[in-house]
Amino acid sequence: MPKINLSHFEAAFLFALFTSVVMGITSKKTDKERLNYGAYCFACFLFALFAIGWIMKLGHG
Amino acid sequence: MAAQTTTAASPQEGSKPASTWILPVLAAWVVPGGGHFLQKKTGRGALILASVGLMFFFGMFMRGMMFTPDKGDILTTLINYGGFICDIASGAFYFAAAMFGYAAPDMPGAVHDYGTKFLVTAGLLNILAMVDAYEIAIGKKD
């Protein structure tokens, strides 16, 4: 079985992508709402990823 | 007066028999997206299968740890049992991995840690898919 070494960003990006797809599908009732909600979740994940990353960088100095 | 009493809905009226939803929910557990395939929601089923499957495989490729139901102090027990339930929720992926002898030990390192989280989250996402399959089966959703 292959072994992969993803960076923090790559792993968090993939996590955000897969989670957003399933949350979009399971949370809303029409396809348009699902697409919008999935995109919204993905954007929130990425925003949190960058925001928390910067907070940790600035916090460590 | 009599008409008023008959219009009041009893709590049982809205509930569907288990036979209408048990098969889609079981199918959704065994094969992620299976409950949607069974109810002719092919596109959504394929997306769930791809997302849960890729999440699980990436978790394995990063050598994430599979939880076992071990007991210890209260926090250890909670983590181990919770993680085990989430791992099992991936259905066929979990059983296939266990059958082929996948057993990565708990190692320090960010990549292994991400792998463990990926394996657990794959199961959690499949639980969401099972709930969705249930709601479609009882007619709450399209």
Side-chain angles (χ1 to χ4, degrees):
Chain A
M1 187 169 57
K3 185 176 186 227
I4 55 173
N5 278 311
L6 298 179
S7 67
H8 280 285
F9 178 75
E10 290 164 341
F13 184 91
L14 286 174
F15 184 94
L17 181 68
F18 300 141
T19 307
S20 301
V21 168
V22 176
M23 285 176 77
I25 289 171
T26 56
S27 298
K28 300 292 174 180
K29 292 192 175 180
T30 67
D31 284 347
K32 192 183 174 191
E33 285 176 339
R34 288 183 189 113
L35 189 64
N36 287 341
Y37 188 68
Y40 171 75
C41 286
F42 186 63
C44 286
F45 271 121
L46 287 193
F47 174 77
L49 176 62
F50 281 102
I52 295 169
W54 272 106
I55 289 169
M56 285 193 286
K57 180 179 167 57
L58 295 173
H60 277 284
Chain B
M1 191 71 178
Q4 281 180 342
T5 52
T6 50
T7 52
S10 72
Q12 294 298 317
E13 269 181 16
S15 62
K16 302 272 182 182
S19 57
T20 59
W21 55 263
I22 196 83
L23 196 60
V25 171
L26 274 177
W29 172 53
V30 175
V31 180
H36 289 74
F37 287 127
L38 206 63
Q39 298 177 92
K40 307 277 189 285
K41 312 290 180 194
T42 317
R44 276 185 268 167
L47 278 172
I48 289 169
L49 179 62
S51 297
V52 174
L54 284 171
M55 182 80 102
F56 193 88
F57 281 114
F58 271 109
M60 283 204 309
F61 293 157
M62 287 189 273
R63 299 292 186 272
M65 183 194 73
M66 292 278 205
F67 285 93
T68 50
D70 296 329
K71 284 186 178 172
D73 59 71
I74 184 80
L75 192 61
T76 308
T77 305
L78 195 67
I79 290 170
N80 283 336
Y81 273 82
F84 178 65
I85 289 167
C86 292
D87 283 342
I88 268 195
S90 298
F93 291 120
Y94 172 83
F95 293 112
M99 198 173 74
F100 287 112
Y102 178 81
D106 189 14
M107 290 181 285
V111 177
H112 301 293
D113 210 29
Y114 263 118
T116 304
K117 270 60 179 178
F118 268 52
L119 291 173
V120 167
T121 310
L124 289 173
L125 293 179
N126 200 34
I127 291 174
L128 280 180
M130 287 161 68
V131 172
D132 196 47
Y134 167 79
E135 287 184 339
I136 294 169
I138 63 168
K140 196 175 170 186
K141 263 179 151 181
D142 182 29

